Amino acid sequence: MSASRLQTTFARLAAEDRAAFVTYVMAGDPGPDASFEILTQLAGQADIIELGMPFSDPMAEGPAIQKAAQRSLKAGTKIRDVLDMVRRFRTADADTPIVLMGYLNPVESHGYDAFAADAADAGVDGLIIVDCPPEEAKELAAALNAHQLSLIRLATPTTDDARLKVVAEDTSGFVYYVSVAGVTGVKEADASAVAPAVARVRAATGLPVAVGFGIKTPERAAEVARVADAVVVGSALVEEIDRALSENRPVVPAVISMAADLKSAVRAARLARAEKER
């Protein structure tokens, strides 16, 4: 069931000729109750939700997501809490795909087989582990495959054709294309550079390509939506949480309002292109 949620979503959106809107937020940020409310309401905006697993040394993340991880850890969030959040979410939403994104250490500590079994039972659809190269992922991939969970890998601007073949092994669901060099939330994506890269990754893997890192505004999201199978926005939403906290504003409506604006831009992107081509 779990892997098919991703497949069904991408097939439906391809038939509608639109990109998926993928949101990322950190589980447990800024606290358990607000985090669950954000997750629940994001399901009304996002086609796919990436849920961060907090870790003390998030090496691929920029300042915004690092701060989110610290807030979550300070609130006491553990792997079991992340899985319980997904399990609770599934009591009301059986359709929105959820992908967990994080680092290998907490998963390894949990145990690959135990983590895969617990994640599948909770209703998770896939896993992105940013610091686990394919050469080190065989055991993890086998555990996820046994429970029909997708292992989603990253490709970057420096991933050449030979490396793409390695990336494609045991990958399912989609490929996450990191559009800029560096950490999350610092540089902006360039749609003109993304387009040929997306085509190359799609051809090499046979999978949908989601583009993330460097997408913060509705305008930039729309540009990427015209050339990619999915647009991932994370740092902008996490930054909005931080802003709302610092300004003593309600967090949940602030995040959902931003997500709604991004969703509208992504969904309208190809309609605007089609009108121009007429």
Side-chain angles (χ1 to χ4, degrees), residues 183-198:
V183 296
T184 56
V186 177
K187 301 177 183 177
E188 283 196 298
D190 179 357
S192 64
V194 164
V198 166

Side-chain angles (χ1 to χ4, degrees), residues 21 76 90 114 135 138 163 176 184 202 220 224 237 243 245 261:
F21 175 45
R90 285 286 175 231
E135 293 83 358
K138 296 299 182 184
R163 187 63 180 168
Y176 190 125
T184 56
R202 191 188 291 131
R220 192 54 52 97
V224 174
L237 297 172
R243 252 190 313 272
L245 289 171
D261 289 343

Side-chain angles (χ1 to χ4, degrees), residues 50-270:
E50 289 180 7
L51 191 60
M53 298 181 289
F55 183 54
S56 58
D57 187 23
M59 65 183 71
E61 316 301 350
I65 294 179
Q66 289 181 24
K67 287 177 70 174
Q70 291 301 317
R71 287 193 297 264
S72 178
L73 291 170
K74 188 176 181 179
T77 309
K78 305 284 194 267
I79 285 287
R80 65 177 177 272
D81 300 312
V82 178
L83 296 177
D84 285 345
M85 183 181 296
V86 178
R87 185 176 290 107
R88 185 180 167 198
F89 174 84
R90 285 286 175 231
T91 63
D93 188 320
D95 299 319
T96 304
I98 292 185
V99 173
L100 300 183
M101 186 170 186
Y103 294 80
L104 188 60
N105 186 275
V107 176
E108 192 170 44
S109 296
H110 198 91
Y112 294 153
D113 291 332
F115 179 87
D118 291 346
D121 180 70
V124 171
D125 298 284
L127 188 64
I128 301 171
I129 299 295
V130 300
D131 61 342
C132 184
E135 293 83 358
E136 305 296 329
K138 296 299 182 184
E139 187 179 349
L140 175 61
L144 296 177
N145 285 338
H147 292 277
Q148 296 183 304
L149 296 174
S150 292
L151 178 58
I152 297 156
R153 290 207 172 102
L154 306 175
T156 73
T158 61
T159 305
D160 61 21
D161 290 343
R163 187 63 180 168
L164 271 177
K165 292 180 181 179
V166 178
V167 168
E169 294 176 5
D170 294 320
T171 300
S172 62
F174 61 91
V175 176
Y176 190 125
Y177 180 71
V178 177
S179 64
V180 297
V183 296
T184 56
V186 177
K187 301 177 183 177
E188 283 196 298
D190 179 357
S192 64
V194 164
V198 166
R200 187 169 66 90
V201 173
R202 191 188 291 131
T205 64
L207 293 169
V209 180
V211 175
F213 285 48
I215 304 170
K216 289 191 172 187
T217 65
E219 294 76 17
R220 192 54 52 97
E223 290 173 4
V224 174
R226 295 183 189 109
V227 300
D229 300 297
V231 178
V232 185
V233 179
S235 291
L237 297 172
V238 174
E239 286 171 357
E240 186 63 15
I241 292 174
D242 191 49
R243 252 190 313 272
L245 289 171
S246 66
E247 296 170 2
N248 200 28
R249 292 186 286 117
V251 170
V252 177
V255 175
I256 301 307
S257 176
M258 175 176 280
D261 289 343
L262 289 157
K263 164 192 165 183
S264 296
V266 170
R267 295 196 173 184
R270 296 189 189 175

